[in-house]
């Protein structure tokens, strides 16, 4: 069996979709954690700017979560389609 046939096998696409969805979820968790860490450190340094920092943190976390949701859905569709 050639390498191309192995890569195009349906079971491999299931594996790829599952790994992709898992990596997207892990990446989003790490990214949102880094956003929160940066926001807390910034608020500790400049407490008077806490409202602006908090608003920007929430907006950025929402963007990260949206991209991660899209990636997880794409991974699930890859698993279900094959």
């Amino acid at each position: 069996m050639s390498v191309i046939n192995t890569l195009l096998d349906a079971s491999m696409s299931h594996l790829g979709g599952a790994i992709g969805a898992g990596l997207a979820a892990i990446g989003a968790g790490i990214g949102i954690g880094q956003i929160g860490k940066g926001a807390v450190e910034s608020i500790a340094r400049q407490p008077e700017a806490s409202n602006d920092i908090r608003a920007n943190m929430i907006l950025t976390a929402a963007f990260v979560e949206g991209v991660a949701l899209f990636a997880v859905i794409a991974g699930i569709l890859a698993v279900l389609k094959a």
Side-chain angles (χ1 to χ4, degrees):
M1 185 179 264
S2 71
V3 175
I4 301 282
N5 289 337
T6 305
L7 292 176
L8 293 176
D9 188 22
S11 64
M12 292 301 250
S13 66
H14 288 318
L15 180 66
I19 289 173
L23 288 175
I26 290 170
I30 292 171
I32 291 174
Q34 290 293 320
I35 292 167
K37 174 185 163 230
V40 168
E41 288 176 354
S42 299
I43 290 172
R45 289 184 182 151
Q46 290 186 330
E48 66 275 2
S50 64
N51 289 333
D52 293 335
I53 294 168
R54 188 177 301 115
N56 288 328
M57 177 194 69
I58 291 171
L59 182 65
T60 307
F63 286 148
V64 170
E65 194 170 336
V67 170
L69 179 64
F70 179 74
V72 168
I73 296 298
I76 290 171
L77 286 175
V79 169
L80 297 177
K81 183 71 175 169

